[in-house]
Amino acid sequence: MTAPSPSALMEAAGECARLAGAVALRAFRPGIAVDWKADGSPVTEADRAAERAAREWLEARFPEDGIVGEEFGERPSRSGRAWLLDPVDGTRSFVHGVPLWGTLVALTQGERVLAGAASFPPVQEHLHAAPGEGCWHNGSRCRVSAVNDLSRATVLASEIGIPDPVRRRAWERLSLAAATARTWGDCFGYLLVATGRAEAMVDARMNAWDSAPLLPIIVEAGGRFTDWDGLETGFGGSVIATNLALADRVRTVLHSG
C-alpha cells in the first residue's frame, strides 16, 4: 500500500479536527455540566464525545497508527506514527459560553510533527498545515504579520497569573513593551498569530496534545515556534509563537530579567 502523501495527511488532520469540533459544538451552551480532573482542570461530556468521534474516524482510516488523547489515553502504534488529540482546547472558555476554544489534532512520528490542524467551530475558522505544504486557513494560504516593531505589536497569553514567578515577570515585561496585550488565549491565540492578527502568543505550560498541532501551523505560516528555552519543538512543555520579524525581539524581552 502506498504511504499517504504529506498533503493527504494534512488534509486528514484537518478533516478529523473539523469533525470532532462539530461534535463539541453541538454541546456548546451555557450551563453544561462540568467535571473536574485531578489536576484541577475542567472536562465536559463535549470533550469526551468529540474525542470519541475523532478516535472512531482515525481507527477506521489509520488502523495501524497510535492515538493519544487528552480524555481517553493512549492506543499503541504499530506504524510508528501517532495522532494527538485535544478535543476541546480552552475548556474554561467553553464552559462559560465564550467562543475562544478549538479542537486540535496532530500526526507525529517520534517528536516529528507530520501534520497539524486546529478547528474553531464557533467562529467557523479552520487551520491545517504540514512541513513543506504551507498553512491553510479556510481554504487559502495564510501568513503571519510583517509587524517589526514591538511597540506596535499585539501580544497574547492564555493566563495572566502564570504560576512560575520568573515566567510571570517575563510576560509582564513583554506586555508592557507591546502596543496591546490580551488573554485571547489557548489555541485561539495561535490562530491569530498564524493569520497575522497578532504578533506573539506565549504559554508557560503546555501538554503535547496542546502544542504539537500548532508547530507546523505557525512555522508554515512563516512564523517561529519554540519552547521557552528557544528549541523548535512541539513537545517542550511551553511555547513562544511569533511572527518572524519579531521572533528575536520577543524572546530577548522574555529572557531579559
Side-chain angles (χ1 to χ4, degrees):
M1 181 181 295
T2 303
S5 68
S7 176
L9 293 174
M10 177 182 71
E11 294 293 337
E15 187 172 348
C16 183
R18 289 191 295 272
L19 168 74
V23 171
L25 183 64
R26 292 201 291 266
F28 180 49
R29 62 185 180 275
I32 188 171
V34 179
D35 298 321
W36 296 92
K37 302 180 189 179
D39 65 0
S41 61
V43 62
T44 72
E45 182 52 36
D47 298 77
R48 301 184 186 102
E51 186 169 319
R52 281 193 293 266
R55 283 176 177 270
E56 290 172 3
W57 192 91
L58 291 168
E59 287 165 1
R61 291 159 179 80
F62 301 94
E64 299 297 309
D65 290 358
I67 300 174
V68 181
E70 182 173 7
E71 307 309 331
F72 295 113
E74 181 174 1
R75 185 187 80 168
S77 174
R78 297 189 295 271
S79 67
R81 301 186 313 202
W83 295 86
L84 305 187
L85 306 174
D86 189 349
V88 178
D89 184 73
T91 301
R92 292 180 188 274
S93 293
F94 185 98
V95 301
H96 286 92
V98 176
L100 308 186
W101 60 272
T103 298
L104 301 177
V105 175
L107 176 60
T108 65
Q109 189 163 29
E111 291 201 356
R112 290 175 56 222
V113 184
L114 305 179
S119 181
F120 304 86
V123 294
Q124 299 182 34
E125 297 191 51
H126 312 279
L127 293 166
H128 57 252
E133 300 297 322
C135 182
W136 296 84
H137 172 242
N138 288 5
S140 299
R141 291 285 289 264
C142 64
R143 296 287 299 177
V144 297
S145 82
V147 172
N148 61 7
D149 183 345
L150 187 55
S151 69
R152 296 191 291 111
T154 294
V155 300
L156 310 173
S158 290
E159 54 185 346
I160 296 172
I162 297 172
D164 182 327
V166 173
R167 290 183 175 177
R168 184 169 62 248
R169 289 192 294 271
W171 162 248
E172 290 169 354
R173 286 194 300 274
L174 182 64
S175 63
L176 290 171
T180 304
R182 293 289 184 268
T183 51
W184 299 328
D186 301 303
C187 58
F188 195 83
Y190 299 91
L191 164 68
L192 299 180
V193 173
T195 55
R197 290 174 278 179
E199 282 62 59
M201 172 71 190
V202 301
D203 270 301
R205 41 183 192 172
M206 295 275 270
N207 294 304
W209 49 69
D210 301 319
S211 54
L214 300 167
L215 187 155
I217 286 172
I218 296 297
V219 171
E220 289 296 311
R224 187 174 174 199
F225 187 101
T226 69
D227 65 11
W228 278 62
D229 295 322
L231 179 66
E232 184 177 303
T233 177
F235 298 86
S238 58
V239 172
I240 303 171
T242 61
N243 71 2
L244 192 60
L246 287 172
D248 292 339
R249 177 61 178 151
V250 166
R251 287 164 178 80
T252 296
V253 171
L254 287 171
H255 291 96
S256 62

